């Protein structure tokens, strides 16, 4: 059943577990995500970026998600706009039937971020849709970073408190050292958990971890075995994910792991069966691999067996 984002995340916030927010760009990824949630008995957030909406068309995004949520009526699912860049983009998603939107104005000065977020919150709440906002910049931090440099890029807990109080945003993504993609950290993985705990204490709302792919060994190996190049790429280790949830994160954004798992299977098929050109023979192993990644992750996040 399609529900608003805060219905899923407020429960996770009260009961201290994480819910995966999985990106999709096609029917195969969406099928894998729903089939995994069904298998793991987990609530679900599916998210489409502006790029995904451009690729599929917003009407297709909605109809695919409606179809899947009718197929699995027992799964509470929120449809979320990932990294909305303007009021107009968020309004379009709300009007089309998304049940959650993110306004990503974190690159603006604090006051402008707050004003734009408030504008989105006012509109979205009038239509019973939840809102996520972001504070700080998404980037990895190094061991030798100075306190001043850290303060300049990561979330400021005082600002987070004021931001939530004034904007009435439903959930907040505080930058604590993650970044998107396969190259999150320059050195060893490092997150500012102390800052996270402080933000949770001051805001007491669900928090969001962007760039939360872990690139576990099985995903890395399958990608490398089929000729993939990951260079020095690494993800957020599972124990960091668990620690983040303990510190108050409830929405965990995952895209890269799913892309890597899917593409490895497509590549394997192409290498092993050069004469094959039935698309389904390529995509089915991809769907199965993505499903396995998500089922395992739902167990790590603690959302498995919550429905
Ligand atoms: O945060 C970004 C997501 O992984 C979506 O990426 O803009 O390439 O669709 P995209
Ligand atoms: P990854 O691609 O690093 O998993 O991050 C996804 C994300 O944060 C989407 O908003
Ligand atoms: Zn993100």
């Amino acid at each position: 059943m399609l529900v608003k984002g805060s219905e899923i995340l407020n429960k996770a916030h009260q009961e201290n577990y994480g819910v995966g927010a999985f990106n999709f760009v096609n029917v195969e990824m969406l099928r894998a995500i729903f089939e995994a949630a069904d298998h793991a008995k987990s609530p679900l957030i599916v998210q489409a970026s502006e790029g995904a909406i451009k690729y599929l068309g917003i009407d297709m995004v909605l109809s695919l998600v409606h179809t899947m949520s009718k197929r699995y009526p027992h799964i509470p699912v929120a449809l979320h706009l990932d990294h909305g860049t303007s009021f107009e983009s968020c309004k379009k998603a709300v009007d089309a039937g998304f049940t959650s939107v993110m306004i990503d104005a974190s690159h603006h000065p604090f006051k402008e971020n707050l004003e734009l977020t408030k504008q989105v919150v006012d509109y979205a709440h009038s239509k019973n849709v939840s809102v996520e906002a972001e504070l700080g910049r998404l980037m990895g931090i190094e061991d030798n970073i100075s306190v001043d440099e850290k303060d300049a890029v990561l979330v400021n807990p005082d600002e987070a408190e004021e931001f939530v109080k004034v904007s009435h945003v439903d959930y907040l993504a505080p930058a604590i050292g993650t970044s998107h993609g396969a190259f999150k950290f320059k050195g060893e993985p490092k997150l500012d958990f102390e800052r996270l705990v402080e933000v949770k204490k001051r805001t007491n709302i669900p928090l969001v971890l962007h760039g939360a792919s872990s690139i576990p060994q099985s995903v890395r190996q399958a990608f490398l075995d089929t000729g993939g190049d990951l260079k020095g790429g690494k993800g957020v280790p599972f124990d960091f994910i668990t620690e983040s949830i303990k510190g108050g994160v409830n929405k965990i954004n995952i895209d890269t792991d799913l892309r890597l798992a899917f593409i490895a299977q497509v590549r394997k098929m192409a290498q092993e069966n050069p004469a094959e050109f039935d698309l389904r023979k390529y995509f089915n192993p991809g769907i199965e691999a993505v499903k396995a990644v998500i089922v395992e992750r739902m167990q790590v996040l603690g959302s498995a067996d919550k429905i």
Side-chain angles (χ1 to χ4, degrees), residues 21 39 53 73 93 100 121 129 137 144 180 191 201 213 216 242 248 253 285:
H39 185 89
I53 291 172
S100 175
V121 168
V129 169
R137 296 222 314 274
N144 56 359
H180 290 130
L191 295 182
K201 204 167 88 193
S213 278
T242 311
N253 285 13

Side-chain angles (χ1 to χ4, degrees), residues 23 47 82-83 179-181 184 209-213 253-257:
N23 288 75
Q47 53 188 17
D82 191 24
H83 294 283
S179 69
H180 290 130
K184 298 176 188 302
L209 189 66
H210 281 255
S213 278
N253 285 13
I254 299 170
D255 190 356
T256 295
D257 280 341

Side-chain angles (χ1 to χ4, degrees), residues 193 196-198 200-201 207 242-249:
F193 293 115
L196 171 68
V197 168
E198 191 58 27
K200 186 73 169 191
K201 204 167 88 193
L207 300 180
T242 311
E243 188 71 23
S244 304
I245 293 169
K246 264 197 215 143
V249 166

